[in-house]
Amino acid sequence: MRAPSTISAVDPHDDDALRAWYTAVEAGARADRDSPLVSTYAAFTFTMRSPGPRRRRLPFAAYDGAGQVVGAMLVELPLTSDLDTFEVEIDVPPAHRRRGVGRVLWSHAESVAAEHGRTVAQTEVHVPATHTPATWPGSLFAEGLGFSSEHVEDHLVLDLPAPGTDARVAPGYRLRGWAGPCPEEDVAAYAALQSAMNADVPTGGMSRDVVEVTPEMVRTSEARLAESYLTVVAVAETDDGQPVGYTLVFAPHEDPANLLQDDTLVLRAHRGHGLGRVLKEANERRLARHCPDARRMHTWVAETNTAMQATNARLGFRAVEKLHEMERRL
């Protein structure tokens, strides 16, 4: 079968073109997976029509001779760190696979990277639990392009409402939290915790700069996230008010059934007291009030992060996929 005849940038302000592109993204990303978490159309639309200061997102579509979208690609360009890298996602709906669509899109991605002076390509491949990288089409495609897996995380899912455990806050600590923006009196400490998370999170062999988060960055991120998500946060602190850990969850406005468990951090000096588990359970109770329609919580944890793996297992999370973060130098 013939390869696509045209690769074109998608105008994010052209709703018909962007919806056709998103339909291909969603069909390709969901195919043959158990519990995929795909960004909503509204989330994509906002980040492309109102680009932020730290990242630029460029959508491209592959069209056949009849003008039908047969493949979709998203190229992301970091703007304030990792300036030699670019991220690429290629999605081809099952009906249009094995026609060379993916390779033609990748060739276009290389041209975009050259135009912007990027020399390190990064991508993510989600391998279902019923497959291995040797049997999954996405892995085989990426490896065929020269990508190698540099970091592996488990995609875990918790069915909601969760039963909970009898975990209690250890003596000397207390919990509090919020839904929405961080209280003004806490924003400096919250930024410092996020900086510690960036320095501590496992990234394997991926090319990543450690970013120090400022209060201004927290506020910019909150304002942008609020367009698509409710952010729900729990913080652990000592009895004298020193913040020592946090966890946060994103609840999509357009997909209320699926929650995204993002950061969970306990500072090294305060580990071993079960704070990670009580933080997550406290946040689940807060989420139950704010997100009554939630049915699943998704999270990703490095294979090497044995402490957090054990915490999630006790909370009832189950593994559905392996996320391979892959990289190639051009």
Side-chain angles (χ1 to χ4, degrees):
M1 300 183 71
R2 296 176 58 189
S5 59
T6 306
I7 306 293
S8 297
V10 177
D11 180 355
H13 298 280
D14 182 335
D15 195 57
D16 289 341
L18 193 60
R19 283 191 179 277
W21 173 87
Y22 179 76
T23 297
V25 167
E26 191 172 34
R30 292 189 181 281
D32 300 321
R33 292 171 60 192
D34 179 357
S35 300
L37 186 64
V38 181
S39 291
T40 65
Y41 178 72
F44 273 123
T45 300
F46 174 72
T47 57
M48 292 175 190
R49 293 178 179 173
S50 303
R54 299 180 60 190
R55 184 171 291 266
R56 185 180 178 194
R57 310 182 90 192
L58 305 174
F60 299 89
Y63 299 90
D64 64 13
Q68 180 183 9
V69 176
V70 294
M73 179 171 70
L74 180 65
V75 174
E76 300 196 44
L77 302 173
L79 301 177
T80 58
S81 61
D82 302 307
L83 297 180
D84 57 342
T85 72
F86 70 102
E87 298 170 24
V88 59
E89 177 182 345
I90 294 174
D91 293 297
V92 179
H96 303 296
R97 292 177 180 174
R98 308 189 71 83
R99 297 170 52 187
V101 176
R103 286 190 172 272
V104 174
L105 283 166
W106 166 247
S107 179
H108 193 77
E110 290 182 293
S111 299
V112 174
E115 178 185 349
H116 292 276
R118 307 301 171 109
T119 57
V120 180
Q122 298 178 335
T123 193
E124 296 182 348
V125 175
H126 305 267
V127 181
T130 53
H131 283 266
T132 69
T135 64
W136 183 243
S139 305
L140 296 171
F141 173 69
E143 290 171 359
L145 296 177
F147 284 84
S148 60
S149 179
E150 299 292 343
H151 180 59
V152 183
E153 298 190 351
D154 285 307
H155 175 190
L156 308 174
V157 173
L158 176 66
D159 296 320
L160 300 175
T165 71
D166 58 357
R168 297 186 178 184
V169 184
Y173 298 96
R174 63 193 185 199
L175 304 183
R176 58 194 184 89
W178 57 84
C182 174
E184 185 59 35
E185 63 271 19
D186 296 318
V187 69
Y190 188 42
L193 286 174
Q194 291 192 7
S195 295
M197 179 73 189
N198 288 341
D200 191 72
V201 64
T203 58
M206 296 293 288
S207 301
R208 296 268 168 79
D209 295 336
V210 176
V211 176
E212 183 172 351
V213 180
T214 65
E216 293 75 20
M217 291 166 65
V218 169
R219 290 305 190 211
T220 298
S221 177
E222 285 179 335
R224 293 185 60 76
L225 285 165
E227 293 290 330
S228 303
Y229 304 92
L230 172 68
T231 301
V232 182
V233 180
V235 174
E237 59 186 22
T238 58
D239 282 342
D240 61 2
Q242 176 191 358
V244 299
Y246 76 105
T247 190
L248 67 89
V249 170
F250 299 125
H253 299 323
E254 278 202 340
D255 186 13
N258 289 287
L259 305 178
L260 169 58
Q261 166 72 64
D262 201 54
D263 297 351
T264 299
L265 169 79
V266 176
L267 297 178
R268 291 183 181 274
H270 298 272
R271 293 176 184 173
H273 301 287
L275 291 176
R277 179 156 54 131
V278 295
L279 275 167
K280 287 193 170 191
E281 290 199 326
N283 225 28
E284 286 174 19
R285 291 191 292 271
R286 187 171 290 107
L287 285 157
R289 297 195 297 272
H290 291 281
C291 308
D293 296 325
R295 295 295 176 263
R296 289 171 298 279
M297 184 180 293
H298 302 255
T299 194
W300 284 261
V301 181
E303 288 183 324
T304 57
N305 191 346
T306 54
M308 190 54 65
Q309 290 278 12
T311 293
N312 285 324
R314 283 193 288 269
L315 291 172
F317 281 88
R318 57 185 173 87
V320 296
E321 292 180 322
K322 296 282 187 182
L323 166 63
H324 287 258
E325 293 187 288
M326 306 184 76
E327 189 168 287
R328 174 192 164 175
R329 294 188 175 272
L330 303 183

